[in-house]
């Protein structure tokens, strides 16, 4: 049996997650304010540019996430695309810790908790949302964009910190 046949013979969910682990992704922390006023946030890889007119992003949130309820009831949320120096931040926001913001520099940007060290920050108005399966898809219209030069934090085959080849690569 070849390696390809081995993978194909695995149960569908395992085959699917293995296949998707081979899709290189960036990582972002999505934040918002809870009804009690405290910040909340989670790490996501399911995020992409959705449209340019209006500038919008699409974020996918698991129903099991504690941030789902605040995110589906808020008017605004923040997206923080992480840099290669922020693996610890990624792990913190992928956890179910009691106070993920305790050891991180952050500030309020209106109603949005903003992580100061993130190289890319998008402030978004919630424009649309819908459920499919066990996830909620959120569309956010971007009202503020800030960018600082930094190497990206890359997730690939369940590992953080893959390095992109930055030199000699032709732009599209
Ligand atoms: C690499 C990686 C990518 C993730 N991507 C997503 C995602 O796209 N959407 C999601 O809902 N959870 C994602 N998670 C899981 C959440 O970050 C995790 O469940 C977190 O504990 C949720 O926090 P909360 O319960 O405080 O909201 C990801 C986790 C990791 C490690």
């Amino acid at each position: 049996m070849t390696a390809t046949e081995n993978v194909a013979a695995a149960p569908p969910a395992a085959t699917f997650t293995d296949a998707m682990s081979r899709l290189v992704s960036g990582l972002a922390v999505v934040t918002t304010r809870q009804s009690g006023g405290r910040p909340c946030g989670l790490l996501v890889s399911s995020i992409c540019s959705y449209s340019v007119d209006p500038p919008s992003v699409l974020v996918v949130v698991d129903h099991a996430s504690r941030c789902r309820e605040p995110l589906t009831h808020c008017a605004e949320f923040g997206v923080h695309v992480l840099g290669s120096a922020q693996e610890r931040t990624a792990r913190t926001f992928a956890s179910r810790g009691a106070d993920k913001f305790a050891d991180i520099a952050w500030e309020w940007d209106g109603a949005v908790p903003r992580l100061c060290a993130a190289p890319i920050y998008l402030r978004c108005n919630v424009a649309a949302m819908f459920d499919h399966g066990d996830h909620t898809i959120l569309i956010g219209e971007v009202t503020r964009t800030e960018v600082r030069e930094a190497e990206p934090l890359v997730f690939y085959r369940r590992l953080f910190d893959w390095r992109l080849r930055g030199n000699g690569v032709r732009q599209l």
Side-chain angles (χ1 to χ4, degrees), residues 27 41-46 60-62 65-67 93-96 100 155:
L27 292 169
L42 81 159
L43 181 74
V44 300
S45 56
S46 302
V60 183
V61 181
D62 194 326
S65 164
R66 296 171 303 174
C67 290
F93 282 90
S95 76
R96 291 177 72 90
K100 302 182 189 181
F155 194 67

Side-chain angles (χ1 to χ4, degrees), residues 3 7 13 26-27 32 43 48 57-58 70 88 103 105 113 128 138 142 154:
V7 172
L27 292 169
T32 194
L43 181 74
C48 64
V57 291
L58 179 155
R88 194 170 65 88
D103 297 323
L138 281 172
V142 179
V154 175

